[in-house]
Amino acid sequence: MTTTTVSPPRRAARGRENHTVASRPNWFAGLVSLLWMLVVIIPIYWIVITSLKTQSNYYATNPLAPPGEPTLANYQLVIESDFIQYFINSLIVTVGAVVPAVAVSFMAAYAIVRSAGRSRFLRSVNSLFLMGLAIPLQATIIPVYLIIIKLRLYDSLTGMILPSIAFAIPLTVLVLSNFLRDVPKELFESMRIDGATEQSMLWRLALPLTRPAVVTVVIYNALQIWNGFLLPLILTQDPSRRTLPLALWTFQGQYSVNVPAVLASVVLTTLPILLLYVVGRRQILSGLTAGFSK
Amino acid sequence: MSTTLAPSATRRAPAATTRGGRSVGLAWLAVPALLFFIAFAVIPLIGVLLLSFSTWDGIGEISFSGLTSWRTVLADPGLPHALWVTFLVIALSWVVQTPASILLGVFLAGRQRYRAVLSVLYFIPLLLSSAAIAITYKALLDPNFGLGAGLNIPILVQDWLGDPVLAFGVVIFVVSWQFIPFHSLIYQGGVRQIPRSMFEAAQMDGAGRIRQFFSITLPQLKYTIITSSTLMIAGSLTFFDLIFVLTAGGPADATRVLAVDMWKRGWQASLMGPASAIALILVLVGLAVALLLRRVGGGSANAGASQQEGA
């Protein structure tokens, strides 16, 4: 993207080398994408500028006009109302669920791919996880609620972590095994000849080679769990155990008249995941597209 | 992935000699994932079946009561309504999202200079939680202080969430707003995997862009369309948080999909038996849709799996 000085004809020529499809501008798709960009951008722009307005300013001014005197008072109000506590809860639940979910899924995906269908047990495990993709796991929420109560984990962060791990497994195994299948078998064979055990092939060969896929599923699952609403809604009651999306919802109830403050809390709950996305953007874009388009 | 079949046939003989130790060693690696999945997905799946034949208020004792819950649910006109609303959400959100995602995906797979910027912007709705999105749209569509009123655009000043038809339209729009970016990414990846030589050959034969799209791009995207549709439909069945926060199933049950219906019966009305029956219906709908798509796709989104089963 540093080719700003290159004249249009040459750029088109370079494009033809590796992508004939778009060597001519595609006006129709371009127009659709610009329109869609407006649909995406306007609400986001509105969230950000409104969160910087005072309440009276919000009612008085043009909704799309930038704030005359931007204020951070809304953010201060949100942070002072236990935001830090909810943030820490969300962080514990997300990290506590994503790390084990990806680890156990990686081990399972490795076993499934390496057995190449020779083990009946692993074939059934794979089918079971694939079935899990089709079943809306939220439909199992009532027994999950009962199990969490019986385990005396109601109103605890662990109670939210355990089902989150299970819900993340099917898709994570699918994406990771899609990637692992592309690792050339010869690499494993030559390591085996060198006397490597299955364990060391798992951690020293398969894991580094599937790093982009691992980053993808880490970010994808982190996104799902960070934004999760149903489990915290059903498995907690104590306000001190709320995670951010649930806190956002209750906050909205309390401050329904103070729209700028509510929107400031929307921004604050999204910022951490935005940072994660910025860090892992390239990996997640390539990982997602490759992982799903197979 | 097409390589998995051939080698396994030739490798069967040497593998058999080391089989014992090797597959046991491998099988253990799948056990932790399996245990989590059994504890919080398989057992609950059986549990939801059992609970649908019982009476439970969510706190007290559970007692078996035969078909009572099923009778209640099946006699309730709310069930066909919730099924219909769920079906409409699935069908309409597919109809809106799929063509738009394919178009955007094709466009993003090209080499436009501003493509990278667009990819970043398109992704933002996916980062927001459904709760955040619902809260934002509630404020944005407010008839008194929302965008329409503020900009003085009469057509935008409506009681969007108070009118059954409008509220349903809003749900479809917001769902699309949230998920079109994700599906266009999937299509972007799919388009990139189409061999360029196919387009070059078509161009030499004088096929225009539209002809190329319908004769090459679309047929080549068949499996991508099935993958994306599977994820879209399985996702639509579980639109709980967005609808719960946006409309809570209202107005007048206009957006009361099965998932919201389950919550209302279970946690609002403390009738876990009927709620479990609804949950079981959700599971069955999900499985039926998956099987249907598998048939349509002749092998389906999980081609790798079916290949493995054949190996």
Side-chain angles (χ1 to χ4, degrees), chain A residues 42-60:
Chain A
I42 290 173
I44 291 165
Y45 166 79
W46 178 80
I47 296 172
V48 175
I49 56 160
T50 308
S51 72
L52 297 169
K53 288 179 181 176
T54 63
Q55 211 177 333
S56 55
N57 210 324
Y58 169 70
Y59 290 117

Side-chain angles (χ1 to χ4, degrees), chain B residues 201-260:
Chain B
Q203 223 158 29
M204 294 226 205
D205 293 344
R209 190 181 289 282
I210 293 171
R211 185 70 204 274
Q212 285 181 32
F213 177 78
F214 284 104
S215 304
I216 302 174
T217 313
L218 220 47
Q220 289 287 315
L221 284 178
K222 187 185 168 196
Y223 290 107
T224 315
I225 293 174
I226 292 167
T227 308
S228 157
S229 302
T230 310
L231 292 172
M232 209 181 265
I233 293 168
S236 310
L237 284 172
T238 57
F239 284 150
F240 172 78
D241 28 14
L242 186 88
I243 295 178
F244 181 76
V245 179
L246 193 64
T247 65
D253 288 346
T255 56
R256 184 165 173 160
V257 290
L258 283 172
V260 172

Side-chain angles (χ1 to χ4, degrees), chain A residues 5-276:
Chain A
T5 51
V6 180
S7 59
R10 273 182 61 201
R11 200 163 60 85
R14 277 185 36 178
R16 191 164 297 131
E17 285 165 24
N18 36 30
H19 228 278
T20 320
V21 198
S23 55
R24 275 182 304 138
N26 184 345
W27 293 115
F28 179 65
L31 194 71
V32 172
S33 76
L34 274 178
L35 270 177
W36 184 253
M37 193 181 75
L38 284 180
V39 172
V40 168
I41 288 303
I42 290 173
I44 291 165
Y45 166 79
W46 178 80
I47 296 172
V48 175
I49 56 160
T50 308
S51 72
L52 297 169
K53 288 179 181 176
T54 63
Q55 211 177 333
S56 55
N57 210 324
Y58 169 70
Y59 290 117
T61 58
N62 179 327
L64 293 180
E69 294 157 17
T71 169
L72 288 174
N74 301 311
Y75 288 89
Q76 198 184 350
L77 176 71
V78 173
I79 288 172
E80 280 166 4
S81 58
D82 292 336
F83 178 84
I84 307 287
Q85 173 77 55
Y86 306 140
F87 179 89
I88 292 170
N89 289 346
S90 275
L91 199 66
I92 293 172
V93 171
T94 304
V95 175
V98 170
V99 173
V102 172
V104 299
S105 301
F106 183 75
M107 284 164 25
Y110 178 86
I112 288 165
V113 171
R114 290 282 291 148
S115 77
R118 279 190 299 270
S119 152
R120 181 175 297 177
F121 170 72
L122 288 172
R123 268 204 325 254
S124 330
V125 170
N126 193 36
S127 311
L128 186 70
F129 291 157
L130 286 174
M131 209 179 67
L133 276 180
I135 296 170
L137 285 177
Q138 282 84 341
T140 63
I141 199 72
I142 297 170
V144 166
Y145 168 73
L146 178 61
I147 291 171
I148 292 297
I149 292 175
K150 291 284 177 203
L151 290 174
R152 299 183 180 279
L153 289 172
Y154 186 78
D155 251 341
S156 77
L157 298 181
T158 320
M160 285 182 267
I161 289 173
L162 294 176
S164 301
I165 295 173
F167 287 12
I169 286 173
L171 196 70
T172 311
V173 170
L174 177 74
V175 172
L176 290 178
S177 54
N178 270 349
F179 267 75
L180 276 168
R181 263 188 208 106
D182 288 347
V183 176
K185 290 202 167 40
E186 291 71 26
L187 289 176
F188 290 107
E189 296 306 325
S190 62
M191 258 189 107
R192 177 179 303 286
I193 292 167
D194 291 345
T197 60
E198 209 66 60
Q199 283 284 330
S200 66
M201 285 196 278
L202 172 70
W203 301 115
R204 299 215 330 261
L205 177 66
L207 188 62
L209 284 175
T210 42
R211 212 182 66 122
V214 171
V215 173
T216 301
V217 291
V218 164
I219 297 181
Y220 183 83
N221 286 319
L223 194 65
Q224 295 293 316
I225 296 165
W226 183 270
N227 287 338
F229 183 80
L230 185 62
L231 287 175
L233 175 73
I234 279 170
L235 301 178
T236 66
Q237 203 167 29
D238 185 346
S240 72
R241 292 287 179 270
R242 277 179 198 148
T243 55
L244 286 173
L246 192 63
L248 200 60
W249 179 59
T250 48
F251 190 73
Q252 181 226 203
Q254 279 166 34
Y255 292 89
S256 54
V257 285
N258 192 349
V259 175
V262 171
L263 293 175
S265 67
V266 166
V267 174
L268 281 176
T269 60
T270 311
L271 272 184
I273 210 84
L274 188 70
L275 285 178
L276 187 65

Side-chain angles (χ1 to χ4, degrees), chain B residues 72-243:
Chain B
T72 315
V73 166
L74 293 175
D76 186 342
L79 176 67
H81 176 74
L83 268 170
W84 171 242
V85 175
T86 306
F87 168 77
L88 272 186
V89 169
I90 292 176
L92 287 179
S93 65
W94 188 88
V95 166
V96 172
Q97 289 183 71
T98 300
S101 305
I102 293 178
L103 266 181
L104 289 171
V106 168
F107 180 73
L108 291 174
R111 296 220 117 227
Q112 284 79 4
R113 198 185 291 179
Y114 40 93
R115 194 180 42 108
V117 183
L118 286 179
S119 302
V120 177
L121 296 177
Y122 281 146
F123 211 84
I124 296 177
L126 275 174
L127 303 176
L128 291 150
S129 67
S130 297
I133 291 173
I135 288 167
T136 301
Y137 272 96
K138 257 168 110 171
L140 207 51
L141 295 171
D142 189 288
N144 298 314
F145 307 108
L147 198 61
L151 293 176
N152 250 322
I153 306 174
I155 193 155
L156 284 182
V157 186
Q158 310 241 23
D159 190 8
W160 291 103
L161 298 172
D163 175 90
V165 176
L166 288 180
F168 189 82
V170 168
V171 166
I172 299 293
F173 175 82
V174 179
V175 162
S176 307
W177 190 85
Q178 186 175 13
F179 292 109
I180 282 179
F182 178 69
H183 293 281
S184 62
L185 264 182
I186 296 179
Y187 284 113
Q188 183 186 344
V191 173
R192 288 241 172 96
Q193 288 184 349
I194 303 174
R196 264 161 238 135
S197 51
M198 296 183 82
F199 293 102
E200 279 157 16
Q203 223 158 29
M204 294 226 205
D205 293 344
R209 190 181 289 282
I210 293 171
R211 185 70 204 274
Q212 285 181 32
F213 177 78
F214 284 104
S215 304
I216 302 174
T217 313
L218 220 47
Q220 289 287 315
L221 284 178
K222 187 185 168 196
Y223 290 107
T224 315
I225 293 174
I226 292 167
T227 308
S228 157
S229 302
T230 310
L231 292 172
M232 209 181 265
I233 293 168
S236 310
L237 284 172
T238 57
F239 284 150
F240 172 78
D241 28 14
L242 186 88
I243 295 178

